[in-house]
Amino acid sequence: MSLWTSLEPASATVDPGASTRVRLRVRNTGDVVDEYRFEPVGSVAPWTAVEPPTLRLYPGTTGTVELTFSPPRTPDATAGPNPYAVRITPTEHPDAVTVPEGNLTVTPFTEVRAELVPPTVKGRFRGRPRLAIDNLGNTRVTASLSGTDTGDRLAYDLQPGNVQIEPGRAAFVDATLRPRQIIWFGSKEEQPYSLAVRRSGAQPLEVDGTFVQRGFLPRWLATALSLSFALALAFVMIWLAYRPQVTSLAKEKMEQAGATALPAPSPSAPSKANAAPPPPPAEEPAAEPEASATPPAGGGGDGDGGGGGASEEPEPKERTAATAVQELAARSDGRHICYRAYVADHGWQDPVCDGAEAGTTGKDLPIKALNIAVSGVKGTAGNGAYVVEGWKEGDKWASAADGVDMYFGSTKESLSPLQGYTIKVTDGSVCQNAHVADKGWMGLGCTKPGDWMYGGSPMEEAKNLEAVRFTV
């Protein structure tokens, strides 16, 4: 070994977001002039700078290299001792590599962010928001959850009530809000509330939300019922006061008939039992009913019930990306890709193809889901990353053959919008460009044949995806 090294100091401490320096002294103990190349290795290498990166020394001379450690204030800077090393490779003897080792202690820091999804919930008997808690520090966070409001008008059920979150991870708490009093009649009422994330030795982190409590029955229905009851009561009072006198003539007719009846025959009177009864009056022939000029309802026909009004036309079928790419492939041979976006508060857009823009720009409307279909590339696959939930589906990619719809993302209101996506095609390459909130178009990128690519917001920024373009 023709090299002597020394780290000064061998152990150092640094705060995330700051920097510290360590001197590396090197002496050429050989008998030839040599040039040495310095390369940091280990987990701290991504945020380690070496100045100068190379050093030329004469035999018996000593040089100094300065190592600068600048850990970011992110969960990537793991708290605690982090061993590191510097690989020194001499030019004249590249096999004689020297690796001096040191220790860098990164101090812990805590940073927690919480968000209600959605911030406003509506209901008559309950509301169900979700609280997303992100640990942006470099040490584990243990916290308890509680809810408060003005006047103690709401009851809170938080599941789970306590969370432990590793650095760089998130936890989701399902909250159920129940009003202590039900609004039977009347308009809706807004009740502000807050959910607090409490940690030992730190100020509680409160997240504000609004619960909109709706009335069980609308106010107009209560007014209508009261008015109907008043009218019915008035009608009964008037009827009782001015009830008409209704008499029946049946009794009078019966009395008159009894007065004019013949007396009963005496025993000595001759019997008239054999007398022939008077002939009945001649009956006039009944008039024939007139033929109806209008056929009975339901139509005529042969009595099979086939008549009636015009039949309703079926509703048109939804036009998806697969519909569009099949029509395009029928008109033009080759490779095609069609797609459409589900835009928040607007729903599904019409499909576009081969580089056209889907979504919106400049309107602050995020994309919640994408529908993609291809032709001439032997199928496609992809996955969506949510702003809050991240890669919710994990490694379960969506896939579809040529001419078949593929979906990723979600149209559910309870899930956050997309921040990005991965996409690939089986045969050839796919090119994409994504428009991200506050950043604009991120630039055109293309995959290698059969490989996949990510498009959208940088994952550490978690910004909304607003528009996309695809070509194959």
Side-chain angles (χ1 to χ4, degrees):
M1 182 66 65
S2 61
L3 184 66
W4 171 86
T5 62
S6 174
L7 285 170
E8 301 174 355
S11 297
T13 302
V14 63
D15 297 327
S19 62
T20 189
R21 292 180 174 85
V22 173
R23 296 176 61 190
L24 173 61
R25 298 181 62 195
V26 182
R27 179 183 300 165
N28 184 356
T29 58
D31 53 2
V32 296
V33 178
D34 209 341
E35 185 177 56
Y36 302 94
R37 184 172 69 253
F38 303 90
E39 179 185 3
V41 294
S43 60
V44 302
W47 26 274
T48 302
V50 180
E51 186 63 32
T54 59
L55 194 64
R56 187 177 181 86
L57 296 177
Y58 287 92
T61 60
T62 302
T64 301
V65 173
E66 195 168 75
L67 308 178
T68 302
F69 301 97
S70 303
R73 191 174 175 82
T74 67
D76 297 330
T78 305
N82 292 268
Y84 70 91
V86 181
R87 182 187 293 116
I88 305 175
T89 306
T91 304
E92 295 296 330
H93 305 282
D95 294 336
V97 176
T98 302
V99 186
E101 297 180 353
N103 187 69
L104 178 69
T105 300
V106 179
T107 59
F109 77 97
T110 303
E111 184 175 346
V112 178
R113 182 180 66 183
E115 181 182 6
L116 272 173
V117 183
T120 300
V121 291
K122 302 177 182 180
R124 291 182 175 86
F125 305 107
R126 67 180 63 85
R128 290 176 176 171
R130 297 187 77 197
L131 181 64
I133 308 172
D134 294 296
N135 182 5
L136 305 180
N138 64 351
T139 185
R140 177 188 295 176
V141 168
T142 300
S144 61
L145 290 307
S146 63
T148 58
D149 62 272
T150 304
D152 194 25
R153 298 173 60 184
L154 299 176
Y156 303 87
D157 181 15
L158 306 177
Q159 297 295 333
N162 298 277
V163 293
Q164 282 192 346
I165 312 173
E166 297 296 330
R169 305 297 295 229
F172 295 91
V173 178
D174 294 321
T176 302
L177 315 177
R178 290 186 174 87
R180 299 187 185 276
Q181 292 184 350
I182 297 174
I183 302 176
W184 293 105
F185 297 97
S187 58
K188 61 186 179 182
E189 295 183 4
E190 293 187 356
Q191 176 59 47
Y193 70 95
S194 64
L195 300 182
V197 181
R198 302 183 183 275
R199 294 170 290 141
S200 177
Q203 289 292 330
L205 175 62
E206 295 187 349
V207 185
D208 296 330
T210 303
F211 174 61
V212 180
Q213 185 180 1
R214 297 170 175 167
F216 184 74
L217 295 176
R219 185 180 297 275
W220 65 265
L221 182 58
T223 303
L225 291 176
S226 300
L227 184 59
S228 300
F229 178 77
L231 290 176
L233 183 61
F235 177 77
V236 171
M237 297 298 293
I238 293 173
W239 172 264
L240 294 177
Y242 300 96
R243 182 173 57 181
Q245 298 296 326
V246 180
T247 59
S248 175
L249 295 178
K251 185 175 182 181
E252 296 179 1
K253 293 293 185 181
M254 290 296 293
E255 291 177 353
Q256 292 176 4
T260 58
L262 293 175
S266 60
S268 59
S271 175
K272 294 185 179 180
N274 297 327
E283 297 182 358
E284 297 180 2
E288 296 181 1
E290 296 182 0
S292 176
T294 304
D302 298 331
D304 55 359
S311 61
E312 296 182 359
E313 295 183 0
E315 294 183 1
K317 190 175 182 180
E318 181 182 11
R319 180 176 169 81
T320 66
T323 309
V325 82
Q326 291 169 7
E327 294 174 354
L328 183 58
R331 297 193 305 267
S332 172
D333 294 337
R335 301 159 57 89
H336 300 287
I337 181 170
C338 294
Y339 41 94
R340 61 176 180 153
Y342 186 94
V343 179
D345 300 330
H346 287 70
W348 284 110
Q349 295 180 328
D350 291 333
V352 297
C353 302
D354 295 342
E357 179 182 313
T360 60
T361 57
K363 297 182 180 180
D364 197 23
L365 294 174
I367 292 177
K368 292 183 68 66
L370 286 173
N371 169 211
I372 302 174
V374 295
S375 174
V377 297
K378 299 181 181 178
T380 182
N383 199 358
Y386 298 80
V387 170
V388 175
E389 296 84 358
W391 298 104
K392 183 174 178 296
E393 284 77 18
D395 57 358
K396 297 180 181 179
W397 284 35
S399 61
D402 281 359
V404 179
D405 283 313
M406 177 183 73
Y407 294 88
F408 53 75
S410 175
T411 61
K412 294 182 178 179
E413 183 180 352
S414 60
L415 293 179
S416 62
L418 292 175
Q419 64 168 308
Y421 52 83
T422 53
I423 189 169
K424 63 174 289 187
V425 293
T426 305
D427 184 17
S429 302
V430 58
C431 298
Q432 59 82 28
N433 196 355
H435 189 281
V436 177
D438 303 329
K439 284 185 170 291
W441 291 103
M442 303 300 289
L444 182 66
C446 300
T447 67
K448 296 179 180 179
D451 204 352
W452 62 272
M453 168 173 278
Y454 173 80
S457 165
M459 295 298 293
E460 66 273 8
E461 298 184 17
K463 294 183 176 293
N464 291 333
L465 177 68
E466 295 183 340
V468 294
R469 293 174 177 165
F470 297 107
T471 56
V472 292

